[in-house]
Amino acid sequence: MTPNCAFDVGWGRLIFGQTFEKLSDLLETLREEGPDRRDIAVYVLDPHVLLAHAPQEVFLDPSHTYRLDLSAYRPSDRPLSGFVIRPVETPADAEAINRIYAARSMVTVPPQFFDRERDPDPIVYLVAEDETTHQVVGTVTGVDHVRAFDDPERGASLWCLAVDPQARQPGIGEALVRRLAEHLAEAGAAFLDLSVMHDNAQAIALYEKLGFARVPYFTVKRKNPINEKLFAGPELLEGFNPYARIIINEARRRGIVVEAIDAASGFFRLTYGARSVRCRESLSELTSAVAMSICDDKAVTSRIVAEAGVRVPEQITTAVPMEEMVAFLERHGRLVVKPAHGEQGQGISVGITSLAELKTAIGEARRVSSEVLVEECVEGEDLRLVVINFKVVAAAIRRPAAVVGDGRSTVRELIESQSRRRAAATGGESRIPCDGETERTVRDAGFAFDAVLPAGQELKVRRTANLHTGGTIHDVTDVVHPLLVDAGVKVARAIDIPVVGVDLMVKSPMQPGYAFIEANERPGLANHEPQPTAERFIDLLFPLAIPASVRQVLEAPQARAE
């Protein structure tokens, strides 16, 4: 075997413990870990002894090792539905892999690493590509141990299995694992190993289904900021949703004290030195009661931002006579009905075209709020701008929930399956309700809940793009048009609110046309990776806790201006 093998895989190095004769050499190799990288020492024969050498520097990773005997592996006879598995081919594939890594809070890889010449190449990169959109929706990496360090056991290992949390097709992860196993078996590997967190029940269930069995090998890592949550012990603040946790975790990283007030409702207190701020997720004491009440009433919000020069759709309330509503419907053709007071997409109906639908939609909205608004339906995509301290920190297109047929499952079964995947990807925050609005959307598309959707056909099952009703989020911060950014800032200044989610309807995020939809005083900061939403929120609350390196970047434009 190649002695003291530390093999670079882009996000860090795989340090193969069986190639080291001395634990002291292995420890020194771990100490050579680069910044923002994650080195992993695998197959460490005496991990307890290694930890005794440097208990303040290294820790035993809380993961299990599983092995698949490739001689006993049996391929699946079930064809892929809606996607294909292929090798990495272009720089765009590398960018897509890093996008998925970032969405899954994984360490990204320098793009040029994918093109690096290695002869022979021990690394196998595979991606799953959506057959309709041609977007990369999943990835897996394999390492051939024979090519990496002349492994006499002819082993191989699987790393970085990741599926885009926005992916709609089922079975992507399983297909990636199977194709990697088949590729490595063809190359002569005897087994395929992987490391999985001990509490990742969903992944473990998949691996055991495919024939993986647990083996007694252990992994050691360095105590660095990336690994902090693995060696610092479980968080003391249980019960918070992802929108609170992303803020709490950023606060803890900066040494800010977090005190739970009511976890179930998202209330907590942050304290740094003599300054203390109470929050409910991204809503803090810095947001005034007046600003909050403006956002709470959608009719008032529209009037105030319109006066600031923001384009708003024409709107009436259900307090007007019925003949005015009928005339409004005839004038616009398609309407949106929504409660004047409400959140998370509750009670909203989009695309109303008849008086009967209008009356039904008003009844649904009144379940949420006694005051109901009716406005012209503006076609386009839903753009969410997260504005913090009057700067746009993140921009994302939010798309309504959709399912993709497999030729076997009914629409209802596809919705329920997709809802489970969205819930798993968002900590239970995103689900697709099988309610009247979903049924109307499906019916208008020509289907019934019990109909079988043809293989490969996409069906939108909601008209609104709210995350809580199964919508998906796609980052467009780097390409959003400056006039849209300007509109978001105008909304924030008109309301005089330090943190706000501004929703616009746009033809394209790269074009200037838009219509204002609403402002959310408590925008979700999660699911906007890789944008630093939580970081900028904590900067706003505690300027003195801004890291020195970040402070220099933030102050640089001001210094140049002076």
Side-chain angles (χ1 to χ4, degrees):
M1 291 187 295
T2 302
N4 297 357
C5 179
F7 182 72
D8 189 5
V9 284
W11 39 261
R13 297 173 302 164
L14 293 177
I15 301 171
F16 292 98
Q18 68 268 54
T19 68
F20 286 77
E21 289 188 7
K22 299 179 180 178
L23 286 179
S24 57
D25 291 342
L26 195 157
L27 180 59
E28 286 304 315
T29 302
L30 274 168
R31 286 170 172 159
E32 295 168 358
E33 180 182 66
D36 299 321
R37 300 292 91 187
R38 174 180 277 167
D39 288 352
I40 303 177
V42 294
Y43 306 107
V44 180
L45 300 180
D46 296 311
H48 55 298
V49 179
L50 180 63
L51 264 61
H53 279 71
Q56 300 300 320
E57 297 181 64
V58 297
F59 68 100
L60 189 64
D61 189 55
S63 59
H64 297 323
T65 303
Y66 277 77
R67 172 168 294 180
L68 177 64
D69 181 354
L70 294 177
S71 66
Y73 168 76
R74 295 294 177 264
S76 172
D77 57 2
R78 185 174 180 177
L80 304 183
S81 179
F83 63 95
V84 296
I85 305 297
R86 61 170 177 79
V88 169
E89 298 170 347
T90 66
D93 289 342
E95 293 177 5
I97 289 174
N98 275 333
R99 172 180 56 79
I100 295 174
Y101 284 175
R104 292 296 189 181
S105 300
M106 298 163 64
V107 182
T108 56
V109 177
Q112 64 273 16
F113 182 85
F114 293 92
D115 297 327
R116 186 177 299 176
E117 292 292 333
R118 289 174 285 267
D119 187 23
D121 193 351
I123 306 180
V124 180
Y125 293 112
L126 299 177
V127 294
E129 178 186 294
D130 188 305
E131 286 186 325
T132 303
T133 65
H134 301 293
Q135 183 178 22
V136 172
V137 292
T139 179
V140 70
T141 303
V143 175
D144 185 325
H145 295 178
V146 175
R147 293 186 172 188
F149 61 93
D150 293 323
D151 181 13
E153 294 184 295
R154 296 186 297 113
S157 53
L158 177 156
W159 302 93
C160 297
L161 175 64
V163 176
D164 190 330
Q166 317 285 4
R168 301 158 299 175
Q169 301 90 341
I172 295 174
E174 177 179 341
L176 285 164
V177 175
R178 286 187 177 278
R179 185 66 194 96
L180 180 64
E182 292 158 11
H183 175 90
L184 291 168
E186 292 167 2
F191 58 82
L192 177 63
D193 286 355
L194 59 84
S195 179
V196 58
M197 294 304 298
H198 70 97
D199 56 355
N200 192 345
Q202 185 177 10
I204 290 173
L206 168 62
Y207 299 138
E208 291 180 340
K209 168 189 171 183
L210 297 180
F212 284 83
R214 188 174 167 188
V215 288
Y217 294 105
F218 301 95
T219 298
V220 175
K221 297 177 181 176
R222 284 192 70 238
K223 291 183 176 180
N224 61 24
I226 295 175
N227 295 325
E228 182 179 0
K229 63 181 180 181
L230 301 177
F231 64 80
E235 295 181 1
L236 302 177
L237 300 171
E238 300 294 335
F240 285 101
N241 65 25
Y243 307 110
R245 286 202 301 268
I246 188 174
I247 297 169
I248 290 171
N249 289 339
E250 177 61 24
R252 293 181 73 208
R253 278 193 288 269
R254 301 195 193 185
I256 296 170
V257 177
V258 182
E259 174 190 351
I261 298 175
D262 186 349
S265 298
F267 288 95
F268 53 90
R269 184 193 305 274
L270 303 179
T271 302
Y272 186 74
R275 182 175 175 81
S276 181
V277 181
R278 288 183 299 173
C279 303
R280 184 181 187 188
E281 299 166 9
S282 64
L283 177 65
S284 75
E285 292 175 336
L286 275 64
T287 296
S288 70
V290 172
M292 185 173 173
S293 62
I294 290 172
C295 292
D296 179 61
D297 191 321
K298 294 179 175 62
V300 173
T301 309
S302 294
R303 292 196 296 269
I304 287 178
V305 301
E307 291 176 0
V310 176
R311 195 275 195 200
V312 301
E314 187 178 354
Q315 186 182 89
I316 61 173
T317 73
T318 53
V320 304
M322 180 55 69
E323 55 266 25
E324 286 192 30
M325 278 195 283
V326 172
F328 193 79
L329 174 60
E330 291 175 349
R331 185 163 67 253
H332 294 290
R334 287 167 56 84
L335 302 178
V336 176
V337 176
K338 58 188 179 183
H341 307 271
E343 59 182 3
Q344 300 179 354
Q346 297 177 4
I348 298 177
S349 299
V350 179
I352 301 300
T353 58
S354 69
L355 185 58
E357 288 182 341
L358 179 60
K359 291 179 179 178
T360 300
I362 291 172
E364 289 292 327
R366 279 183 174 150
R367 294 182 180 181
V368 179
S369 169
S370 59
E371 185 180 354
V372 176
L373 306 177
V374 180
E375 66 183 27
E376 65 172 302
C377 183
V378 180
E379 300 295 337
E381 292 191 292
D382 188 327
L383 176 68
R384 163 59 65 89
L385 301 174
V386 178
V387 185
I388 299 177
N389 201 16
F390 306 111
K391 298 181 180 66
V392 172
V393 174
I397 289 293
R398 304 190 302 173
R399 297 196 172 106
V403 296
V404 177
D406 58 11
R408 299 181 301 273
S409 306
T410 66
V411 172
R412 185 188 299 275
E413 290 169 341
L414 291 170
I415 290 173
E416 291 172 348
S417 177
Q418 175 74 344
S419 184
R420 287 193 295 270
R421 290 196 298 274
R422 293 294 298 134
T426 60
E429 291 299 309
S430 180
R431 301 177 188 274
I432 307 173
C434 285
D435 58 10
E437 176 66 8
T438 300
E439 186 175 12
R440 185 173 70 86
T441 305
V442 170
R443 184 179 65 249
D444 289 350
F447 290 91
F449 272 175
D450 296 329
V452 174
L453 191 62
Q457 181 168 342
E458 179 180 295
L459 175 66
K460 289 185 178 180
V461 297
R462 299 288 293 189
R463 287 187 171 88
T464 58
N466 298 77
L467 181 72
H468 291 85
T469 54
T472 56
I473 297 178
H474 309 266
D475 181 68
V476 294
T477 307
D478 293 337
V479 299
V480 67
H481 196 281
L483 287 180
L484 303 181
V485 172
D486 182 62
V489 175
K490 279 183 178 179
V491 170
R493 291 198 178 280
I495 302 173
D496 195 15
I497 187 169
V499 180
V500 64
V502 178
D503 294 340
L504 306 176
M505 192 63 67
V506 300
K507 292 293 184 183
S508 165
M510 294 178 284
Q511 297 177 7
Y514 73 91
F516 172 79
I517 303 301
E518 65 179 32
N520 189 324
E521 78 280 0
R522 184 163 49 103
L525 302 186
N527 306 304
H528 283 281
E529 294 84 359
Q531 306 308 328
T533 51
E535 291 91 324
R536 298 295 84 81
F537 178 73
I538 295 297
D539 291 348
L540 170 72
L541 268 54
F542 299 98
L544 295 180
I546 299 176
S549 58
V550 176
R551 190 188 305 276
Q552 291 172 359
V553 172
L554 295 177
E555 292 176 349
Q558 180 179 354
R560 286 195 296 269
E562 293 173 352

